[in-house]
Amino acid sequence: MTIYRAPIQDTLFVLNDVLGYQRYSNLPGFSDATPDVLEAILAEGAKLAENVMHPLNRVGDMEGCVRHGDGSVTTPKGFREAFDQYREGGWMGLAAPAEFGGQGLPYTVHTAVSEYMVSANMALMMYPGLTQGAIAAIITHGTDEQRATWLPKLVEGAWTGTMNLTEPHCGTDLGLLRSKAVPNGDGTYRISGQKIFISAGEHDMSDNIVHLVLARIEGAPEGVKGISLFIVPKLKLDASGNPGQRNTVSCGSIEEKMGIHGNSTCVMNYDEAEGTLLGEANGGLKAMFTMMNEARLGVGLQGLSLSEIAYQNAVSYAKDRLQGRSLSGAKAPDKKADPIIVHPDIRRSLMTMKAFNEAGRALALWTAIKSDVAHRAGDDKDRQAADDYTGLLTPVVKGVLTDKGFDHAVMAQQVFGGHGYIEEHGMSQFVRDARIAMIYEGANGIQALDLVGRKLAQNGGRAVQAFFKEVAEFCEENRADEKLAPFTKALKKGLNDLQAATMWLVQNAMAKPDNAGAASTDYMHLFGLVALGYMWAQMARAAGVKLAEGANGAASFYDNKLVTARFFMERIMPETATRLARISSGADTLMALPAEAF
Ligand SMILES: Cc1cc2nc3c(=O)[nH]c(=O)nc-3n(C[C@H](O)[C@H](O)[C@H](O)COP(=O)(O)OP(=O)(O)OC[C@H]3O[C@@H](n4cnc5c(N)ncnc54)[C@H](O)[C@@H]3O)c2cc1C
C-alpha cells in the first residue's frame, strides 16, 4: 500500500507568500477565495484525495476497465462512488462560471486541489479532467443554445466530456484526418469515422457522455484548414433536454495498455452519429486548441502529481529500509544497519525530486494565476500580458513537468531497489502511469517544437522578452541582498544561457529550420530550468522574509526551503550550460547519417 499526504502547507506558502495570490482579489472569483476559504477548500480536497481516491489507485491498476459485448464499459470497483463524491462536493464546477452552475472560483484554486487528487489517483481524475476541457471549449465557442444545453450538466458532473482527435493513421498530424460530417439540412450533421485512444470514451460513471469530435465537412479543404469540431452525445437529448435515444456512436474496444488501467482508452466508432457544429465550419482546430491548452496544463500537472506521490513513498521507504552504514559513521548504532536515507546517493535522488516538486508546484500555480488574469482581468493590457505568458509557459509546463514526472517516478522506484520493481510497493504503477503524460496532448517533442517554432516568435517575441525582463529585473532588484546572492547569481547565469540560446536560434534557425528542430527539446528544458530557478529564487526570498518576521513557529519549514533552494542552484541549475552547448552544436551531425545507416 502506498502512502499520500497532500502538501497543503506548501501550496499555501506558494500562493500566499510567494505568488501574492491575495493581490488578485480585484478579479472575479478571487475575492470569494479569501485566505480562510482557500485553506478550507484545500483541506476538503485533500481529504477526498487521501481518503477516497488514493485507496482506489491500486484497485484501478489491478482491475482495469472491462468492455462488455454490448459495448458498455465497467470501471474498477469504487470508481463510480468516488466520482459521485467528487460530483456531490461540487468539485467539477469549482472554477466554472456561476451562470452554468459553477462556483466561479479561480482556476488557480482548481489547479491546487487537482494536484492532490491526481497524485492520489491519476486514472480516476482523467474522467473529470477531460470534462474540464469540454466545458472550456463549449464556453468559448458554443452558441447560447449549446451553452444552455450542455454546460449545466457537464459542470454538475452529471455528464462527462471527451476529446476525439486521434485516428489510426492520424496522430500528431491532424491534417490527415478522415472522419467526415454530412449536413442534414436542419443544422445537425451525420458524423462517421473511427477514432482511437479516446480517454473516457465509454464508462459507467455518468448519465451521458458528450464527445467533442474533429471531422471534415463534406467538400471541405484538405489539411488542417478543412477540420471542424462537433458535439456528439452518446445519448441524444429528448424534447426536455434529458438523455434519451442512443446515438450511433459506440465503443468498439478498449486498449490494453502500460498504465492508467482505471481509465478506459477506447476505440470509438461513429456511424452517421448525430452531432452539431461547435464554433465555425473549418475552424475546428482553433476550437480544439481551447480544449487542448487547458488539457496541456492539466497534463503538466499530472507529471508533478506523480513526481510528488512517488517522492513521498521513496522518502518513507528510505527512512525505514536498513542497509549499510553511513560513510561518516553509524547513525543508528543500536540497529544492524543504518536507514538508507543516510547515504549521499539516496539523498541526491530525494533532494532532486523534492527540489523539482516544490518549484514545479510554484510554476504550475504561477501559470494558473496568469491564466486567471488572462480570462478575468478588466484591463485589456493585463489580459494580453497574462495571455502571452500562458501561451509561452504552456508547452514548458506540459513538456518539462511530464518528462521530469516520469524521470522522478523512476528515481523513486530506484530508491526501493528490487522492491520497487515488483508490484507490491506500488512504485511500478507510478512509473507506468507517469509515462503516458509525456505522450498524449501533443507528445513532448511537439511541445518543444511549439515553443521554439511558434511561441518564441509570436508577436515579434513579445512574450519571451517580457519573461526575460521580469527575471532579469528580479535579479537586479535583489542584487544587493547578500543572503539572496547564491540564488540570484545562479539564476542570472541560467538566464544568460537561455538568452544566448534564444539568440543562437534567431541567428541560425531561420535559414536552416533543422537547427530549430534539433535544438527544441534542449531549449524547452533550458527554459524549464530557468523558470523553475526563478520560482526557487522567489521562494528563497519569501522564506527569508518569513524567517526575519519570526516565522510563527514554522522556522524549520522556511529553513528547509532555503536549503532546497541552494540544492537546486548548486546541482540542477548548472545543467543550463550543457543544454546551451547542445543547442549551439546545431543539426549537422544529428542529421548527417543517411536513414540506411541506422
Ligand atoms: C492512453 C492514451 C490516451 C489518449 N487519449 C486521447 C484522447 O482522449 N483523445 C485523443 O484524441 N487522443 C488521445 N490519445 C492519442 C495521443 O494524443 C496520441 O497518441 C499522440 O498525439 C501522438 O500521436 P501518435 O500516437 O499517432 O504518434 P505520431 O504522431 O505517429 O508520432 C510518433 C512520434 O513522432 C514524433 N513526431 C510526429 N510528428 C513530428 C514532427 N512533425 N516533428 C517532430 N516529431 C514528430 C512524435 O513526437 C512522436 O514521438 C491518447 C493516447 C494514449 C496512448
Side-chain angles (χ1 to χ4, degrees):
M1 179 65 182
T2 53
I3 56 156
Y4 177 65
R5 284 283 161 272
I8 297 178
Q9 188 183 12
D10 220 76
T11 309
L12 288 171
F13 169 65
V14 168
L15 285 177
N16 293 332
D17 303 321
V18 181
L19 300 178
Y21 169 82
Q22 300 304 332
R23 274 207 317 263
Y24 301 91
S25 57
N26 60 330
L27 298 184
F30 275 72
S31 55
D32 297 329
T34 57
D36 288 352
V37 172
L38 174 67
E39 213 169 320
I41 293 173
L42 295 183
E44 278 308 305
K47 262 197 246 164
L48 187 64
E50 292 167 2
N51 303 332
V52 178
M53 295 178 165
H54 178 236
L56 294 172
N57 199 33
R58 188 152 163 81
V59 177
D61 189 48
M62 306 277 284
E63 273 187 28
C65 297
V66 180
R67 178 186 174 276
H68 306 284
D70 62 355
S72 63
V73 170
T74 307
T75 51
K77 209 179 300 130
F79 269 42
R80 269 177 70 158
E81 293 74 11
F83 186 63
D84 283 344
Q85 289 197 41
Y86 181 87
R87 177 183 14 237
E88 283 155 17
W91 295 106
M92 185 74 94
L94 195 73
E99 60 178 309
F100 303 117
Q103 299 180 52
L105 289 165
Y107 172 66
T108 306
V109 179
H110 164 84
T111 304
V113 175
S114 295
E115 184 212 314
Y116 305 163
M117 297 189 184
V118 175
S119 280
N121 197 325
M122 172 170 156
L124 173 56
M125 279 303 289
M126 283 174 67
Y127 296 93
L130 282 144
T131 309
Q132 295 293 350
I135 291 171
I138 297 175
I139 288 178
T140 313
H141 302 285
T143 60
D144 287 346
E145 192 188 336
Q146 283 172 324
R147 291 197 193 116
T149 304
W150 304 107
L151 288 175
K153 292 289 186 188
L154 287 169
V155 168
E156 184 193 332
W159 302 346
T160 56
T162 70
M163 178 165 120
N164 289 240
L165 291 75
T166 310
E167 299 179 6
H169 60 285
C170 151
T172 303
D173 189 352
L174 289 170
L176 300 173
L177 82 77
R178 291 190 195 133
S179 290
K180 64 170 190 198
V182 180
N184 285 326
D186 61 355
T188 65
Y189 290 78
R190 298 192 301 284
I191 318 290
S192 300
Q194 187 177 68
K195 298 287 178 180
I196 62 165
F197 299 161
I198 304 308
S199 300
E202 179 60 60
H203 58 80
D204 56 359
M205 303 202 328
S206 63
D207 300 338
N208 203 358
I209 302 177
V210 181
H211 302 291
L212 295 199
V213 185
L214 280 186
R216 204 179 290 283
I217 298 174
E218 247 186 348
E222 292 284 302
V224 288
K225 291 203 173 104
I227 300 175
S228 305
L229 184 62
F230 296 88
I231 302 178
V232 185
K234 169 180 162 181
L235 301 174
K236 294 195 240 180
L237 304 186
D238 64 20
S240 349
N242 296 316
Q245 199 192 345
R246 178 88 213 203
N247 207 349
T248 43
V249 45
S250 60
C251 166
S253 62
I254 55 177
E255 304 293 349
E256 286 289 328
K257 55 192 191 295
M258 176 176 172
I260 53 163
H261 294 154
N263 195 268
S264 56
T265 307
C266 303
V267 171
M268 299 301 297
N269 295 320
Y270 292 83
D271 186 13
E272 302 203 326
E274 188 179 298
T276 55
L277 183 66
L278 178 61
E280 287 170 23
N282 302 333
L285 214 58
K286 190 170 149 225
M288 205 74 201
F289 260 107
T290 305
M291 195 160 170
M292 281 182 0
N293 278 337
E294 179 111 350
R296 283 177 176 177
L297 293 176
V299 173
L301 202 65
Q302 290 180 333
L304 168 66
S305 293
L306 285 206
S307 179
E308 173 66 30
I309 188 168
Y311 160 76
Q312 289 190 17
N313 283 275
V315 168
S316 160
Y317 191 78
K319 287 180 178 170
D320 218 42
R321 176 72 172 166
L322 305 178
Q323 291 292 300
R325 284 294 182 198
S326 160
L327 297 172
S328 56
K331 296 290 179 293
D334 52 322
K335 303 207 168 103
K336 290 227 158 96
D338 284 334
I340 59 173
I341 197 164
V342 305
H343 303 311
D345 194 55
I346 292 288
R347 288 295 187 109
R348 173 188 59 79
S349 297
L350 298 181
M351 287 299 290
T352 300
M353 292 185 271
K354 181 175 169 60
F356 166 81
N357 292 345
E358 294 175 21
R361 177 169 302 114
L363 180 61
L365 293 172
W366 186 49
T367 311
I369 287 181
K370 295 290 178 196
S371 172
D372 271 324
V373 176
H375 287 107
R376 300 177 189 223
D379 183 73
D380 287 351
K381 257 175 72 188
D382 290 348
R383 271 207 312 274
Q384 183 201 69
D387 193 51
D388 281 356
Y389 262 111
T390 317
L392 183 70
L393 292 171
T394 296
V396 178
V397 167
K398 198 285 182 179
V400 175
L401 265 52
T402 61
D403 274 359
K404 292 292 165 195
F406 177 72
D407 286 355
H408 294 162
V410 173
M411 206 177 257
Q413 185 184 38
Q414 188 77 8
V415 169
F416 279 69
H419 299 271
Y421 193 70
I422 61 170
E423 293 294 335
E424 183 185 341
H425 293 279
M427 302 309 284
S428 150
Q429 184 187 350
F430 298 143
V431 173
R432 290 183 285 102
D433 286 357
R435 185 67 182 86
I436 186 57
M438 300 162 72
I439 298 172
Y440 57 23
E441 285 312 328
N444 284 357
I446 303 303
Q447 302 300 326
L449 282 177
D450 178 41
L451 177 66
V452 167
R454 249 168 40 90
K455 299 292 171 59
L456 284 188
Q458 237 167 28
N459 302 306
R462 192 173 66 200
V464 75
Q465 292 307 332
F467 176 81
F468 290 165
K469 184 162 174 276
E470 180 172 334
V471 179
E473 279 176 4
F474 177 91
C475 294
E476 186 55 34
E477 273 163 30
N478 294 287
R479 200 154 59 106
D481 185 335
E482 274 180 26
K483 284 195 181 139
L484 279 183
F487 312 112
T488 47
K489 272 192 188 151
L491 176 60
K492 189 71 191 14
K493 163 80 180 62
L495 179 65
N496 289 345
D497 287 344
L498 179 60
Q499 287 176 309
T502 311
M503 188 50 75
W504 188 90
L505 282 170
V506 169
Q507 289 166 348
N508 295 281
M510 293 288 206
K512 197 169 164 191
D514 272 350
N515 277 334
S520 56
T521 289
D522 283 302
Y523 186 86
M524 179 179 77
H525 279 281
L526 171 49
F527 206 110
L529 286 163
V530 174
L532 293 170
Y534 180 40
M535 296 298 116
W536 264 123
Q538 291 184 78
M539 287 195 280
R541 184 172 66 174
V545 169
K546 287 306 233 187
L547 284 166
E549 285 170 4
N552 274 337
S556 62
F557 177 84
Y558 301 113
D559 282 334
N560 294 350
K561 287 282 171 219
L562 291 173
V563 173
T564 314
R566 255 200 310 278
F567 174 87
F568 185 90
M569 297 305 179
E570 287 171 8
R571 289 235 167 198
I572 299 180
M573 203 63 177
E575 193 188 318
T576 58
T578 310
R579 298 279 180 187
L580 172 61
R582 284 192 198 139
I583 290 165
S584 35
S585 74
D588 289 350
T589 315
L590 200 76
M591 301 302 283
L593 295 181
E596 312 81 74
F598 288 92

